[in-house]
Amino acid sequence: MAQVEATTERIIAADPEAVFDALADYKDVRGKVLPGHFSEYEVREGGDGEGTLVHWKLQATSKRVRDCLLEVSEPSDGRLVEKDRNSSMVTTWTVTPAGEGKSKAVVSTVWNGAGGIGGFFERTFAPKGLGRIYDELLQNLATEVEK
């Protein structure tokens, strides 16, 4: 099994604290900014950053639906980590300053991919597909915090 990684970034016209706080707000903001690829969104514990347990289904393709139960941690300032209890998937959100009143938001997801020919296609196409989903999420986040 090879590790698969998808990374996307966006400059957002808002202070890093505002962007990070919006990302970490699973109770009010996160559900609003998720694209249509996500369903069955439910906060099961917490709701604000560290200690949150959140569930959703991610439909990456017409045939591929991933049932995710994510534990949220904040290992350092500006970093939010979501570890899926149902798989090897780990998503890290990093928000850093990008000039006056701007932030750079980076999302990176890694998981252990399949082997064989299926793994080849997963490593080839999954990062691009997930990248498009995260592009849309970051666009929605920017719209939310740039108000």
Side-chain angles (χ1 to χ4, degrees):
M1 285 190 294
Q3 195 169 60
V4 183
E5 181 173 356
T7 301
T8 303
E9 64 182 57
R10 180 179 192 86
I11 301 297
I12 298 175
D15 289 327
E17 296 79 19
V19 174
F20 185 82
D21 288 348
L23 271 175
D25 184 352
Y26 292 86
K27 192 171 26 173
D28 297 319
V29 177
R30 186 62 80 92
K32 283 195 292 189
V33 300
L34 291 176
H37 297 275
F38 294 85
S39 64
E40 298 183 28
Y41 181 84
E42 176 189 18
V43 176
R44 296 192 176 167
E45 293 174 18
D48 185 25
E50 180 86 29
T52 295
L53 183 65
V54 64
H55 171 267
W56 60 60
K57 287 192 176 176
L58 171 58
Q59 184 158 2
T61 68
S62 61
K63 295 177 183 174
R64 178 80 170 132
V65 179
R66 187 182 286 259
D67 190 330
C68 302
L69 183 59
L70 303 149
E71 296 176 348
V72 179
S73 64
E74 293 183 34
S76 60
D77 285 350
R79 293 190 87 179
L80 196 66
V81 177
E82 300 167 343
K83 290 185 180 175
D84 187 10
R85 286 185 179 176
N86 298 332
S87 73
S88 62
M89 188 170 73
V90 177
T91 299
T92 303
W93 300 87
T94 307
V95 180
T96 55
E100 188 67 33
K102 292 183 181 176
S103 306
K104 179 176 165 183
V106 179
V107 56
S108 181
T109 299
V110 296
W111 68 95
N112 295 328
I117 190 72
F120 168 78
F121 285 105
E122 182 180 22
R123 288 186 304 279
T124 302
F125 298 109
K128 291 177 180 80
L130 193 55
R132 283 191 296 275
I133 293 169
Y134 282 135
D135 278 340
E136 188 176 345
L137 193 158
L138 288 173
Q139 171 59 51
N140 295 346
L141 177 67
T143 300
E144 180 69 23
V145 297
E146 290 174 356
K147 289 180 181 174

